[in-house]
Amino acid sequence: MECCIASVLWCFVPLYLLINFLCFIFADADLTLLWAGLFGHRPENKLKGLVVWVTGASSGIGEELAHQLARCGSRLILSARREEELKRVKRSCLECSDLQDEDIRVLPLDLLERTSHEEKAKAAIQYFGHIDVLINNGGRSQRSLCLETSIDVYQALMELNFLGTVSITKQVLPHMTQQGRGSIVTVSSVVGLAGAPLATGYSASKHALQGFFNSLRTELTDFPNILISTVCPGPVQSQIVQNAFTEEVLKPMAAAGNQGHKMATSRCVRLMLVGIANGVKEMWIAQQPFLLFYYTWQYAPTFAWFVTNVLGRKRVQNFKAGLDADTAYFTKPKSS
């Protein structure tokens, strides 16, 4: 009898590992998040009727969040600097959902104007009477070499991506602790877990967010119904590259480059909403081979350093040669 059980196990275990390996090859998110997508709560059920405040809602991931949340039946507060773009997003949300005009509030917000954040948060809370979910999505990226980058760029990145996000969070968090529930979801990045060339300041700001929210989560153990979640996307189709800082604060990007190899924004946002609906504390969202990069850094950091150095050198070479930085891993540098 014991021999039969042992034989079955010897057959089952390799098959189980093979199935998981094949699933991982085609995975576009961490296994916890994918499991929640298959067997967990559906966003359409969990997020319906909730009040969600989205920053950075005028384009890219923020705009797609607004659309999908509207279709889920969430009531929305949309914030960014560009009020006309927010109004455009609101109109498209009303067109693609059953929401009424009063279910969406446009609330212009500049993350750099921290003295205005208390007033903005009060306005957001007063409009619907409460906030269920805050999604910190506002921020800018970077495409420049450290040796060529002004210190002002680093200051601007930390002021916007880190301190602006912390400031809004600190205005909303007391409200959530008072009501005893809520979710604070912050869009970080793969470079918030591991560094990458051409993004030293951006990576630093995302590492700061990871450290802040990981620490905050442990401070809130007396509030088990408050979710602190960080989202770490890999390359996603959005306007973040077009709006990236370069070596000078006011110098624009020359070109955004091809985004065809990146994950569709709609897929990234769908996975985010699955994570929010199921209380996932950290989400890794990326297509292969980028998802493998997350796991390598987590479980084999020495090997990850070796791979990062090889690919990083190639990316820097291509950047100096004038090639698209975001496709540099997949192209050869021009010969001189």
Side-chain angles (χ1 to χ4, degrees):
M1 182 67 177
E2 292 180 356
C3 292
C4 292
I5 294 175
S7 299
V8 171
L9 287 175
W10 275 110
C11 294
F12 175 77
V13 170
L15 179 62
Y16 173 79
L17 294 175
L18 177 62
I19 292 173
N20 278 272
F21 175 73
L22 292 174
C23 291
F24 180 76
I25 290 175
F26 297 101
D28 58 3
D30 66 86
L31 300 181
T32 300
L33 184 54
L34 292 177
W35 182 269
L38 290 173
F39 304 106
H41 300 290
R42 290 178 55 80
E44 291 80 2
N45 298 330
K46 292 289 288 186
L47 303 180
K48 184 176 182 180
L50 297 187
V51 176
V52 184
W53 186 5
V54 183
T55 68
S58 60
S59 64
I61 290 176
E63 180 176 355
E64 184 63 24
L65 276 165
H67 291 158
Q68 292 197 27
L69 285 165
R71 290 194 289 270
C72 287
S74 302
R75 293 173 289 171
L76 301 173
I77 302 166
L78 305 178
S79 290
R81 288 180 300 124
R82 299 174 295 171
E83 186 171 4
E84 291 305 312
E85 286 300 298
L86 290 174
K87 291 179 179 178
R88 175 188 61 79
V89 174
K90 176 178 178 177
R91 289 193 297 269
S92 61
C93 287
L94 293 174
E95 292 171 359
C96 73
S97 71
D98 295 327
L99 296 181
Q100 303 301 310
D101 184 78
E102 62 271 17
D103 293 324
I104 304 177
R105 168 74 189 274
V106 167
L107 184 64
L109 170 73
D110 189 338
L111 288 176
L112 290 175
E113 296 180 0
R114 296 199 295 274
T115 55
S116 70
H117 292 176
E118 181 178 2
E119 177 187 350
K120 296 291 185 179
K122 286 181 178 178
I125 293 168
Q126 288 173 358
Y127 186 77
F128 289 112
H130 68 282
I131 295 174
D132 296 300
V133 182
L134 168 65
I135 302 181
N136 290 310
N137 176 66
R140 289 179 68 179
S141 184
Q142 176 195 8
R143 290 295 183 277
S144 60
L145 293 166
C146 175
L147 290 174
E148 300 171 355
T149 303
S150 166
I151 194 66
D152 295 335
V153 171
Y154 291 104
Q155 180 175 347
L157 282 162
M158 295 302 293
E159 291 274 354
L160 178 63
N161 294 357
F162 178 63
L163 291 176
T165 297
V166 169
S167 177
I168 288 295
T169 298
K170 281 180 61 63
Q171 296 300 329
V172 174
L173 184 58
H175 167 71
M176 290 187 174
T177 57
Q178 185 176 11
Q179 69 185 10
R181 56 180 171 78
S183 299
I184 297 177
V185 182
T186 301
V187 179
S188 179
S189 170
V190 58
V191 300
L193 301 174
L198 310 179
T200 48
Y202 179 68
S203 179
S205 69
K206 294 301 184 178
H207 272 76
L209 286 175
Q210 290 287 131
F212 176 84
F213 284 103
N214 285 343
S215 299
L216 177 61
R217 189 184 297 114
T218 64
E219 290 186 10
L220 297 176
T221 52
D222 289 337
F223 300 92
N225 294 322
I226 295 181
L227 170 68
I228 302 296
S229 178
T230 52
V231 185
C232 301
V236 175
Q237 296 173 8
S238 73
Q239 294 183 358
I240 192 169
V241 178
Q242 293 152 277
N243 299 324
F245 282 107
T246 59
E247 58 268 22
E248 298 292 341
V249 172
L250 299 179
K251 183 179 178 181
M253 278 283 295
N258 178 27
Q259 298 203 42
H261 65 285
K262 299 181 180 181
M263 175 183 282
T265 313
S266 57
R267 175 59 178 168
C268 175
V269 169
R270 177 62 186 182
L271 289 167
M272 288 176 61
L273 297 188
V274 167
I276 296 170
N278 289 277
V280 178
K281 294 180 175 63
E282 183 170 284
M283 310 177 212
W284 300 351
I285 300 174
Q287 296 173 323
Q288 299 291 11
F290 298 101
L291 183 62
L292 178 61
F293 181 73
Y294 291 73
Y295 279 92
T296 304
W297 267 106
Q298 182 75 16
Y299 299 109
T302 301
F303 178 69
W305 272 119
F306 171 76
V307 174
T308 301
N309 288 340
V310 172
L311 296 179
R313 183 180 296 109
K314 180 179 179 182
R315 193 178 194 215
V316 170
Q317 289 172 348
N318 284 325
F319 178 76
K320 290 180 176 180
L323 297 179
D324 176 15
D326 288 314
T327 57
Y329 291 136
F330 309 102
T331 57
K332 294 181 179 180
K334 296 177 181 178
S335 56
S336 55

